[in-house]
Amino acid sequence: MAFPQSVLPIVVELYLGGAWVDVRTPGHVYRRDMVNIERGRADYGAQVDESTCRLTLNNRDGRYSPRNPTGPYYGQLARNTPVRVAIADGARYLAIGSAAGDQATTPDTAALDITGDIDIRIDLTAANWRDNIDLAGKYKVTGSQRSWAIYLYGDNSGKLAYTWSTNGTATVTVLSTVPCPAPGDGRQALRVTHDVNNGASGNTVTFYTSDTISGSWTQLGDPVVTVGTTSIFSSSAELEVGDIVELAATPATGKIHGFELRNGIGGSLVASPDFTTQTAGASSFVDGAGRTWTVQGGASISNRSYRFFGEVSSWPPRWDITGQDAYVSIEASGVLRRLGRNGTVLGSAIYRGIVSTASGMVAYWPMEDVQGSTSFAPALAHGPLTIIGSPDLASFEGFVASNPLPVLADAELRGAVPAYADTGATQIRFLLAVPSGGDGDNQAILTFYSTGSVRRWECHYGTGGTLGLRSFDGGGTQLFDTGDVAFAVNGQLLLVAIELTQNGANIDYTLVTVAQGATVGLTTSGTLASNTVGKVGGVILNPAGGLTVTAVGHLSVQSVITTVFDLGSQLNGWRGETAGRRIERLCAEEGLAFRAIGDLDASARMGVQLPNTLLGLIREAADTDAGMLFEPTDTLGLGYRVRTSLYNQDARLALDYEAHELADSLSPVDDDQAIANDITVTRQGGSSARAVQETGTLSILPPPAGVGRYPGGEVTISPQYDLDLFEQAAWRLHLGTTDEARYPQLVVNFAHQSFAGDAAQTAAGRALEVGDRVTVANPPDEMPPETISQLVQGYSEQLGNYEHSMTINCSPESPYQVATYDSTARYMPYDTVTAEVLDTTETGVDITTPTGPLWSTTATGYDVMIGGERMTVTAVGVATGTAQTLTVVRSVNGVVKSHSSGATVAMFMPAIYAL
């Protein structure tokens, strides 16, 4: 029997000794105390709070006392030990992590060797629909056994990719013309069909999406037609679902619900693993097409609904006065607890870019040292740059990607490069800012010494903003000089790169610059015959002391050559990056797991990333986009829900008040807690914009015409441009002037008879995530008759033997019902009132709109609200001055009443211009 007729199957696991240990053994997790979980924030909390989980462990044998030397877990119960909690009675799926080899496979067989038309379908819940992830394939590089593969493409665009080979070696790849949707619940089915001979001397690949693997299917973009008929190689590769081991993509993360492979478009099934019908924990099974599947790596058939993933920061042993009842009451927290206590300010954008992404780095001096420093500290384990003279430290602030840098002021800076393996390649980079008025003519900016036949190299500057490169042998004889090349560096903020590559007996050299914010650069290059590169041993900036007003910084030496544009985004301080992508990148840089809800590319574009703590930068991005941070339940990390994913949602959980699907009464609140009718938004380091509600019931007008002034506080965010602030302020004003009752909490009990036996409804409730929409139909008669619609801000959850309840923190969802700019979008005149007294049946409503605009005489079929009664407009009369007549259907929402003259006439669902 299932819950609530049987005990709720709670799983509690601790990560001990490098593996997950199930501690739900009878008596280990006390059921006398509830497992209590809290996530998200209060209904109008300023920001997401750290998730918490409180539970009690039986400690009668002392195993959960961290300093008990005889306990089986001695030495393993450290601070911040990972813990996860799940309920093991949900729908089954193939759980896949982000590790290589997480997959299900079936061996090659003749039925899978499709060489003609093919139809591939997969149903999955992805952790991030804008990631580069494997999906399925019959694809082995080893032995040239490539047939086909489908995956989300590697540029993180969200486009679906299909690769095939005709000979097992060479491949052809086509992409969907538009990205895959990024569904709010993370789940959708994908389909790829390949018509290898379209009858027009070509072949056609078509992409589709659907809610389920059985369709109906919606075409994703346009079909991709390639000239020439083709075929698919019959390889010996096994069929892989999940990670495609030998495809250079990221293993998928999430849940795979089903997969189908058909011979021919809409043809016969040759593989059809339905993971939802398999036994949890099974390592192999046979699908409906007769294929035997094996679960590989860290993948598993699971029925777990994860409720919490966090860290135990303390293990407080306790016991009663008799000493017989020993226990440990732990409170675990999500990663926000640890991040919130880390006040370390992350380095500048260019510094982080260099240390985290640059290949073959052998020496690096950021040169962001503050005034008073006596040398420039290295970022790697080697010596500093020695200062000879008196440069103006931390005095140049022009590079948005860097902390202040030194102006040379006649100083010479010397550094030794540690020993490294000779790769035949040298790349030296540095930031350069020569004032618009120029600096000393024919002066060496940088000299470096090498072990090759060219012993000394010089990058020199000349009047007018020229740059050049010259070299010398061991005797000081000049080997070549590019001369003064017109790079026009004066007044520019540049990344300069010197690239040397051994090409046989010769050296290929390149001098290249790219300006801050640029997508192209300037280059001069050539070949020095009969010479060797060797290894760099030392560097000198401003060796003759002839540059006085030039600023330099971030000097690095690498043993590989990479494109100078690999630091282009960092050089520009990541300006223009979307908020969702910034949060995703920051998590990746810090090794934090990341989950996404919605399209990360559809979030607000950010300004320059300035130095801040990790959590400060992440919150800044979330605040700018006005989306929602959250802590995932299935991994220790962070998630982000983009603002656009909140718009026009279907209900994730639809409740019915009359069916007793709420465990507690409704408690609507009409107060001023959420009112903000005077908003000022400031861009960090920029301008500001103000939005004020000057008319209406929640305007700044004195009561009763309005509510008076409610300042929203000065909000500081980091959008890309100052002009973005006006829309930002208007959107926040819209959120702060929502004129409806709040429902701070909705309580559901999954043990109640209204949920018992309804697996779909229970699954919907357990799947709730921050930002999801919850509705309550058929509210009591004392309340407005319309369905209550709320957004989940957070929740508290209680799990026991026969108990599972959830108290959902809510806020109104209506502000996120926005215009979609199609034929149904309607904009409302804002000052329309009735011009007559209406009885309960009159269908011709005389109105007046003193200011305008007037009501359209051609648009009909929408609803209006007058005094709480909902009416459908079927016709609009021609205006006489400001007067019009609406022909309506009365009492659409069941409200029957009369109305006085001067009653407000408002659209039931007006079009809102979204941010």
Side-chain angles (χ1 to χ4, degrees):
M1 299 178 67
F3 173 81
Q5 286 73 32
S6 61
V7 173
L8 185 68
I10 304 173
V11 180
V12 179
E13 295 175 300
L14 296 170
Y15 195 72
L16 303 173
W20 286 104
V21 176
D22 190 342
V23 298
R24 59 176 165 165
T25 306
H28 279 213
V29 178
Y30 270 152
R31 294 296 188 98
R32 69 186 185 193
D33 299 328
M34 291 279 212
V35 177
N36 292 282
I37 297 168
E38 294 186 0
R39 297 183 65 232
R41 58 184 174 183
D43 54 340
Y44 275 100
Q47 59 188 23
V48 64
D49 300 315
E50 61 196 44
S51 299
T52 60
C53 176
R54 295 181 297 278
L55 57 87
T56 304
L57 296 173
N58 183 342
N59 196 34
R60 290 177 182 174
D61 62 0
R63 69 176 55 209
Y64 299 113
S65 296
R67 301 192 183 278
N68 176 14
T70 64
Y73 301 143
Y74 178 68
Q76 299 178 41
L77 300 175
R79 294 176 179 88
N80 292 337
T81 296
V83 60
R84 62 187 184 187
V85 178
I87 301 173
D89 68 352
R92 285 147 288 179
Y93 54 90
L94 178 67
I96 46 176
S98 57
D102 287 3
Q103 57 177 201
T105 64
T106 190
D108 177 47
T109 187
L112 301 178
D113 293 333
I114 302 170
T115 59
D117 294 353
I118 194 170
D119 190 333
I120 310 160
R121 309 177 185 190
I122 190 168
D123 180 359
L124 75 153
T125 300
N128 182 355
W129 280 99
R130 291 298 176 263
D131 205 354
N132 165 218
I133 57 173
D134 293 343
L135 298 175
K138 198 169 182 292
Y139 191 97
K140 289 293 183 187
V141 176
T142 304
S144 297
Q145 295 298 305
R146 304 170 179 88
S147 288
W148 58 266
I150 61 171
Y151 49 99
L152 294 183
Y153 194 58
D155 62 355
N156 293 340
S157 65
K159 292 183 177 180
L160 183 55
Y162 167 66
T163 293
W164 82 97
S165 176
T166 60
N167 58 11
T169 302
T171 59
V172 180
T173 298
V174 297
L175 308 178
S176 60
T177 58
V178 297
C180 294
D185 64 356
R187 181 174 178 175
Q188 69 183 325
L190 304 175
R191 180 186 181 193
V192 180
T193 64
H194 189 185
D195 182 351
V196 298
N197 182 351
N198 61 18
S201 300
N203 64 92
T204 302
V205 177
T206 309
F207 302 92
Y208 302 88
T209 64
S210 177
D211 292 333
T212 67
I213 200 167
S214 58
S216 58
W217 296 95
T218 300
Q219 186 170 301
L220 181 65
D222 300 322
V224 180
V225 179
T226 304
V227 175
T229 60
T230 189
S231 63
I232 301 172
F233 180 66
S234 175
S235 77
S236 61
E238 63 187 356
L239 176 55
E240 301 168 285
V241 174
D243 182 34
I244 307 171
V245 175
E246 295 191 17
L247 183 69
T250 304
T253 300
K255 306 173 183 177
I256 298 179
H257 309 282
F259 173 81
E260 292 182 358
L261 179 63
R262 296 174 181 264
N263 189 344
I265 299 174
S268 59
L269 277 170
V270 296
S272 58
D274 182 354
F275 299 106
T276 67
T277 62
Q278 308 310 317
T279 302
S283 59
S284 66
F285 62 92
V286 178
D287 72 12
R291 306 280 83 76
T292 298
W293 290 85
T294 303
V295 179
Q296 308 279 11
S300 65
I301 305 294
S302 177
N303 65 346
R304 294 184 178 184
S305 170
Y306 280 98
R307 315 311 305 152
F308 177 81
F309 205 124
E311 298 172 327
V312 182
S313 57
S314 66
W315 300 86
R318 297 290 184 267
W319 49 90
D320 68 1
I321 195 169
T322 69
Q324 299 301 308
D325 183 14
Y327 56 93
V328 177
S329 295
I330 62 173
E331 179 174 321
S333 301
V335 73
L336 280 172
R337 172 189 170 91
R338 178 158 45 87
L339 296 181
R341 286 156 176 77
N342 184 354
T344 302
V345 174
L346 302 184
S348 62
I350 192 71
Y351 169 85
R352 289 173 60 80
I354 291 173
V355 299
S356 64
T357 64
S359 303
M361 186 67 63
V362 295
Y364 173 39
W365 297 272
M367 302 174 67
E368 296 176 323
D369 307 69
V370 298
Q371 294 184 16
S373 303
T374 57
S375 64
F376 291 105
L380 307 179
H382 57 77
L385 274 180
T386 301
I387 298 173
I388 302 173
S390 301
D392 294 331
L393 275 64
S395 60
F396 183 79
E397 300 180 354
F399 286 99
V400 297
S402 176
N403 292 334
L405 296 173
V407 173
L408 288 169
D410 299 331
E412 182 179 296
L413 312 176
R414 293 174 173 261
V417 177
Y420 62 95
D422 190 350
T423 62
T426 292
Q427 179 170 271
I428 297 183
R429 292 174 172 176
F430 57 94
L431 298 189
L432 176 70
V434 181
S436 57
D439 209 337
D441 183 36
N442 196 28
Q443 296 296 316
I445 303 171
L446 173 70
T447 294
F448 59 96
Y449 297 87
S450 73
T451 60
S453 60
V454 181
R455 304 307 298 273
R456 177 163 57 96
W457 297 82
E458 286 185 358
C459 176
H460 55 84
Y461 166 82
T463 301
T466 66
L467 292 181
L469 190 65
R470 53 191 170 220
S471 65
F472 304 84
D473 64 16
T477 300
Q478 182 171 299
L479 300 176
F480 86 98
D481 188 348
T482 61
D484 295 334
V485 182
F487 277 89
V489 303
N490 289 0
Q492 294 197 66
L493 301 170
L494 300 174
L495 172 62
V496 180
I498 301 166
E499 302 167 357
L500 309 174
T501 304
Q502 193 70 48
N503 185 359
N506 306 322
I507 300 174
D508 293 337
Y509 62 85
T510 300
L511 177 62
V512 57
T513 65
V514 59
Q516 176 177 292
T519 57
V520 296
L522 297 176
T523 300
T524 185
S525 60
T527 298
L528 177 61
S530 304
N531 276 280
T532 57
V533 173
K535 300 179 293 182
V536 176
V539 294
I540 306 176
L541 282 166
N542 201 25
L547 297 175
T548 61
V549 291
T550 294
V552 293
H554 296 280
L555 175 63
S556 65
V557 180
Q558 294 168 258
S559 60
V560 297
I561 306 299
T562 57
T563 172
V564 72
F565 292 101
D566 61 3
L567 290 173
S569 295
Q570 293 91 329
L571 181 63
N572 201 33
W574 296 103
R575 183 173 181 174
E577 181 181 40
T578 65
R581 289 296 191 188
R582 179 163 295 185
I583 296 170
E584 176 189 45
R585 174 180 56 79
L586 288 167
C587 287
E589 289 176 355
E590 296 300 312
L592 284 174
F594 177 73
R595 300 288 186 264
I597 299 178
D599 186 350
L600 298 177
D601 297 320
S603 50
R605 294 201 172 272
M606 299 291 296
V608 171
Q609 178 182 306
L610 299 175
N612 201 339
T613 63
L614 173 64
L615 187 54
L617 289 172
I618 288 173
R619 289 198 189 279
E620 177 183 79
D623 290 344
T624 300
D625 183 51
M628 293 183 173
L629 280 175
F630 64 94
E631 291 176 307
T633 59
D634 64 342
T635 190
L636 187 65
L638 288 178
Y640 182 64
R641 180 164 200 152
V642 299
R643 168 184 32 81
T644 52
S645 74
L646 304 175
Y647 295 161
N648 305 332
Q649 293 184 74
D650 292 330
R652 172 68 68 88
L653 179 63
L655 302 169
D656 191 314
Y657 186 82
E658 287 186 352
H660 307 291
E661 290 184 338
L662 287 174
D664 200 354
S665 62
L666 291 168
S667 300
V669 177
D670 267 301
D671 61 10
D672 61 354
Q673 178 176 333
I675 297 176
N677 56 20
D678 186 347
I679 304 288
T680 298
V681 179
T682 301
R683 182 174 70 86
Q684 189 175 48
S687 186
S688 63
R690 185 182 181 192
V692 179
Q693 185 70 32
E694 297 179 337
T695 61
T697 57
L698 295 184
S699 69
I700 61 171
L701 296 174
V707 293
R709 192 177 302 275
Y710 279 77
E714 289 209 8
V715 180
T716 299
I717 56 176
S718 184
Q720 185 174 9
Y721 302 111
D722 283 344
L723 289 177
D724 297 334
L725 296 172
F726 295 95
E727 290 184 356
Q728 288 272 356
W731 176 252
R732 285 165 167 76
L733 182 68
H734 166 63
L735 298 180
T737 52
T738 300
D739 191 8
E740 63 179 84
R742 298 188 299 113
Y743 294 83
Q745 293 183 329
L746 300 174
V747 183
V748 295
N749 185 354
F750 299 113
H752 190 268
Q753 61 181 4
S754 61
F755 282 89
D758 191 340
Q761 187 76 329
T762 297
R766 291 178 179 174
L768 282 178
E769 191 49 271
V770 296
D772 281 345
R773 183 186 180 196
V774 176
T775 59
V776 181
N778 301 313
D781 293 339
E782 298 83 8
M783 299 172 61
E786 283 74 33
T787 295
I788 298 165
S789 184
Q790 300 287 294
L791 282 188
V792 177
Q793 295 289 337
Y795 59 77
S796 60
E797 189 173 9
Q798 299 77 41
L799 295 81
N801 276 335
Y802 298 95
E803 299 152 301
H804 183 198
S805 61
M806 183 182 290
T807 301
I808 307 168
N809 303 327
C810 300
S811 64
E813 182 269 341
S814 65
Y816 295 91
Q817 291 290 333
V818 298
T820 55
Y821 305 102
D822 59 16
S823 59
T824 65
R826 316 216 182 270
Y827 295 88
M828 179 181 72
Y830 65 85
D831 62 345
T832 301
V833 295
T834 57
E836 62 174 337
V837 174
L838 296 177
D839 61 22
T840 59
T841 61
E842 185 175 353
T843 58
V845 181
D846 293 338
I847 61 172
T848 182
T849 308
T851 304
L854 301 178
W855 294 73
S856 169
T857 59
T858 58
T860 59
Y862 52 88
D863 289 357
V864 296
M865 295 290 287
I866 303 176
E869 179 185 348
R870 184 172 165 186
M871 310 175 191
T872 298
V873 176
T874 59
V876 180
V878 176
T880 302
T882 62
Q884 290 176 280
T885 298
L886 305 181
T887 302
V888 300
V889 176
R890 298 289 297 271
S891 306
V892 174
N893 60 352
V895 174
V896 179
K897 60 183 293 188
S898 58
H899 304 277
S900 61
S901 179
T904 298
V905 180
M907 292 186 73
F908 172 62
M909 291 293 289
I912 300 299
Y913 185 85
L915 175 61

